[in-house]
């Protein structure tokens, strides 16, 4: 039975979740067939009997699993060939990387992209997205929050220094071959490229070479419509 992956999409069917992207990479890494089921923000609570509030969600036979880390662990337990984590130690290090990437990189990307997310969301999802995110932003409007976002680019680019250092000596964060850390970070850039109208990197940034290698993986998994990531 083919695995079903529920993914958050825009009005023009672009992926709206970096966490879904990492699971797409994980499924491709394991060579598992899957089909995607697009959904908007308001449709998520209606999935799987209302058990979950976020994506990714996979349905695999009688099993339904939510949350990218829970799904990764489920896939390794259920389909042990081509493991995502070669050892508990590797999993712990990738978990650390995920925390760092979320705090230092994804939070900054969100601050630059949040209005773009709203503008690309399905029309019926936009009021919910605006209200919920503006509450998180302390009452600022999305427009107020992204005002002057060009001035935040140097800070984001500076935050990526540890990745540049790691990739100076190996083609992937995982070394000679990509691992789940690569999938986490590539998912972030695919999400940003899907919706962000402001390029985040400079063309001279060596991360662009890694991004190209990552997007070329698994028959070109990252070859989807994107805004320019570098300028």
């Amino acid at each position: 039975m083919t695995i079903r992956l529920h993914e958050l999409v825009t009005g023009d069917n672009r992926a709206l979740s970096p966490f879904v992207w990492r699971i797409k990479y994980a499924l491709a890494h394991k060579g598992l067939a899957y089909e995607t089921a697009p959904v908007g923000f308001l449709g998520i609570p209606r999935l799987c009997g209302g058990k979950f509030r976020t994506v990714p969600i996979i349905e695999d036979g009688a099993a339904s699993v939510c949350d990218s880390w829970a799904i990764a662990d489920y896939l390794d337990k259920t389909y042990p060939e081509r493991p995502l984590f070669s050892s508990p130690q590797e999993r712990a290090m990738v978990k650390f990387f995920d925390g760092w990437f979320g705090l230092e990189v994804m939070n900054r990307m969100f601050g630059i992209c949040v209005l773009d997310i709203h503008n690309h969301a399905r029309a019926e999802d936009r009021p919910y997205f605006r209200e919920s995110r503006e509450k998180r932003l302390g009452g600022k409007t999305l427009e107020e929050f992204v005002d002057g976002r060009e001035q935040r680019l140097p800070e984001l680019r500076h935050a990526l220094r540890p990745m540049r250092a790691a990739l100076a000596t190996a083609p992937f964060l995982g070394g000679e071959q990509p691992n789940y850390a690569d999938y986490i970070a590539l998912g972030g850039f695919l999400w940003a490229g899907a919706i962000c109208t402001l390029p985040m990197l400079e063309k001279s940034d060596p991360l662009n070479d890694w991004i190209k290698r990552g997007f070329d993986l698994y028959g070109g998994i990252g070859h989807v419509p994107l805004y320019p990531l570098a300028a």
Side-chain angles (χ1 to χ4, degrees):
M1 184 177 294
T2 300
I3 295 170
R4 171 171 288 192
L5 172 63
H6 295 278
E7 66 168 336
L8 185 65
V9 298
T10 65
D12 57 354
N13 215 36
R14 294 184 180 215
L16 255 179
S17 170
F19 303 100
V20 170
W21 269 114
R22 62 178 72 175
I23 297 306
K24 288 184 176 181
Y25 271 103
L27 291 164
H29 175 106
K30 287 184 158 298
L32 295 172
Y34 69 96
E35 62 182 19
T36 57
V39 66
F41 286 101
L42 296 179
I44 296 173
R46 295 193 289 268
L47 300 174
C48 303
K51 290 191 295 183
F52 307 123
R53 292 292 180 269
T54 61
V55 291
I57 299 167
I58 65 165
E59 292 182 273
D60 184 24
S64 56
V65 188
C66 177
D67 178 78
S68 58
W69 275 98
I71 292 171
D73 289 336
Y74 169 85
L75 293 175
D76 263 1
K77 180 179 179 179
T78 308
Y79 304 98
E81 293 187 7
R82 303 174 187 164
L84 294 168
F85 308 109
S86 61
S87 67
Q89 292 79 11
E90 181 186 8
R91 185 186 182 283
M93 287 303 297
V94 174
K95 187 77 170 178
F96 171 81
F97 173 83
D98 186 25
W100 170 82
F101 188 77
L103 181 65
E104 299 296 333
V105 180
M106 290 297 298
N107 279 349
R108 290 183 168 93
M109 285 183 171
F110 177 80
I112 292 169
C113 294
V114 63
L115 181 59
D116 288 324
I117 300 171
H118 168 272
N119 292 342
H120 283 82
R122 294 178 174 184
E124 63 269 26
D125 289 332
R126 290 174 197 161
Y128 156 78
F129 183 85
R130 178 178 289 277
E131 180 181 2
S132 62
R133 271 50 178 187
E134 287 181 351
K135 284 182 179 178
R136 296 184 194 179
L137 299 175
K140 283 188 176 182
T141 67
L142 303 182
E143 290 79 5
E144 289 171 339
F145 193 76
V146 302
D147 185 45
R149 63 180 183 162
E150 294 83 0
Q151 282 67 57
R152 301 180 207 171
L153 289 176
E155 185 180 80
L156 170 62
R157 293 166 180 170
H158 183 78
L160 290 162
R161 286 184 306 159
M163 287 181 57
R164 293 190 193 95
L167 292 165
T169 57
F172 294 102
L173 297 173
E176 290 302 311
Q177 299 296 325
N179 72 358
Y180 200 65
D182 289 278
Y183 305 154
I184 287 169
L186 288 165
F189 281 101
L190 278 164
W191 164 75
I195 47 88
C196 192
T197 55
L198 179 67
M200 294 190 174
L201 303 176
E202 295 177 305
K203 286 188 176 180
S204 60
D205 196 321
L207 285 177
N208 290 307
D209 293 333
W210 164 79
I211 288 171
K212 183 181 184 305
R213 286 192 295 273
F215 287 7
D216 286 344
L217 290 169
Y218 310 119
I221 189 172
H223 293 181
V224 296
L226 298 173
Y227 290 100
L229 281 166

